[in-house]
Amino acid sequence: MNEFKSYHPLVNFIYFTLVIGFSCFLLHPICLIISLICGAVPIKNKRIFLWLLPMLIFTILLNPLFNHQGITILTYLPDGNPLTLESVVYGVCAGAMVVSIICHFSNFHAVMTSDKLLCLFGKLIPSLSLVFSMTLRFVPHFIEDFKRVNKVQKHMGRDKPRINRALDVFSIVTTRALEHAVETADSMKARGFGLPGRSSFSPMSFDSRDTKTLIWLVFLGAYTLVGAVSGALTFDCFPFVRYGSFSFYSASVLLAYLLLCIHPILIELWEMRKWETLQSNI
């Protein structure tokens, strides 16, 4: 999503609001597959799948153990409870939903930086937007600081039990974080943050490209929402697996949802093609 980052924060925020919102409520298998693939492809750090895949498998296996609804009995568990096809299908859908939402939030964290959040909400809710942006920045900074201090402790030859060393490192990092918070508060106070009439500067401008993209995203989101409300994406697991009849309208709604989710990927592919064409002409 390198090219998608260059768009205005409002465009980025509307996209993730629509995609994450639909991912939370649309249980249709095709929608889940679209959301999962479009959320997983842009992730740069592929190591996240080392724990996302076990989470998916764990959700699929855990749901039938506690959810025994459904009329299609496959077999009986050792405790006498039935294992139903509907509970297995629901476990697959629930696992795919959770993993896709986590993928989209990972992309949200990569695209919506603290500067963009301040640009978007700085004038509406300045204090809350500042706290939220500082929190997003604090987490990766705290992790990197923890790794750095832990490495220093190891090279200093302090052979302590792992738990004791971790507690010492955590204490050091927490103290550094509190000191940094005090310095940040003093710096913001010196710059006049919160004073009435204080102006702010943002290098991010809303141009015609952002306008066209925002209109396109809103149109796709509205079309998908109307289709979902009208029953074009109906899918139920209980008491038996049932879904709405496939029609041209339902196919158009699925196409709109696909275009919505895949929009940043299409932008990236288009820019790559333009760059390759430019290089070939040189």
Side-chain angles (χ1 to χ4, degrees):
M1 291 192 176
N2 292 328
E3 185 63 27
F4 191 59
K5 291 180 182 178
S6 63
Y7 282 71
H8 193 270
L10 181 60
V11 177
N12 301 143
F13 185 78
I14 292 297
Y15 168 78
F16 284 111
T17 301
L18 292 173
V19 171
I20 295 176
F22 286 134
S23 300
C24 292
F25 295 102
L26 295 181
L27 272 178
H28 197 281
I30 299 180
C31 293
L32 292 176
I33 294 174
I34 292 174
S35 178
L36 183 60
I37 295 177
C38 295
V41 169
I43 295 179
K44 291 184 177 180
N45 187 9
K46 301 301 181 182
R47 290 184 299 176
I48 190 175
F49 297 109
L50 296 178
W51 61 273
L52 282 181
L53 292 178
M55 179 185 297
L56 175 61
I57 298 174
F58 179 75
T59 305
I60 295 174
L61 297 178
L62 184 66
N63 185 76
L65 297 178
F66 295 95
N67 188 350
H68 309 292
Q69 302 181 45
I71 61 176
T72 308
I73 300 176
L74 300 177
T75 185
Y76 287 90
L77 300 175
D79 58 357
N81 290 315
L83 176 65
T84 63
L85 175 64
E86 291 77 13
S87 63
V88 175
V89 173
Y90 184 78
V92 174
C93 294
M97 176 185 293
V98 172
V99 173
S100 63
I101 292 174
I102 294 176
C103 290
H104 287 304
F105 269 109
S106 177
N107 296 326
F108 176 86
H109 178 72
V111 174
M112 295 298 295
T113 60
S114 58
D115 294 337
K116 289 190 174 184
L117 291 174
L118 282 176
C119 174
L120 197 59
F121 300 106
K123 295 182 179 180
L124 298 176
I125 42 176
S127 299
L128 184 60
S129 61
L130 178 62
V131 171
F132 185 66
S133 62
M134 289 180 63
T135 303
L136 292 179
R137 182 180 178 274
F138 171 77
V139 174
H141 180 75
F142 188 87
I143 294 175
E144 292 296 328
D145 204 13
F146 187 91
K147 294 179 180 179
R148 190 182 304 109
V149 175
N150 187 35
K151 186 181 295 185
V152 171
Q153 291 288 322
K154 288 182 179 179
H155 286 117
M156 290 178 64
R158 296 185 177 181
D159 296 330
K160 294 183 180 181
R162 181 174 297 180
I163 297 179
N164 294 340
R165 187 173 68 245
L167 291 176
D168 292 342
V169 174
F170 182 79
S171 176
I172 295 172
V173 174
T174 304
T175 303
R176 288 165 57 93
L178 293 176
E179 292 177 353
H180 180 71
V182 173
E183 293 176 357
T184 303
D186 293 338
S187 176
M188 297 300 294
K189 184 178 180 180
R191 297 177 185 182
F193 180 79
L195 295 179
R198 179 180 178 270
S199 60
S200 60
F201 169 75
S202 175
M204 305 172 188
S205 58
F206 198 87
D207 54 18
S208 59
R209 182 190 65 168
D210 298 314
T211 303
K212 297 177 182 177
T213 305
L214 183 60
I215 294 174
W216 176 243
L217 293 178
V218 172
F219 168 74
L220 294 176
Y223 193 85
T224 305
L225 180 61
V226 172
V229 173
S230 62
L233 303 178
T234 300
F235 183 83
D236 295 323
C237 295
F238 305 109
F240 56 89
V241 178
R242 54 182 177 177
Y243 48 88
S245 59
F246 188 78
S247 61
F248 177 78
Y249 177 63
S250 61
S252 64
V253 176
L254 290 173
L255 178 61
Y257 184 64
L258 172 62
L259 293 176
L260 174 64
C261 293
I262 207 174
H263 185 75
I265 301 176
L266 294 178
I267 292 176
E268 194 71 23
L269 293 176
W270 176 254
E271 291 298 326
M272 290 174 59
R273 182 178 179 182
K274 288 173 58 178
W275 175 256
E276 292 175 356
T277 303
L278 180 62
Q279 290 292 326
S280 62
N281 294 332
I282 295 179

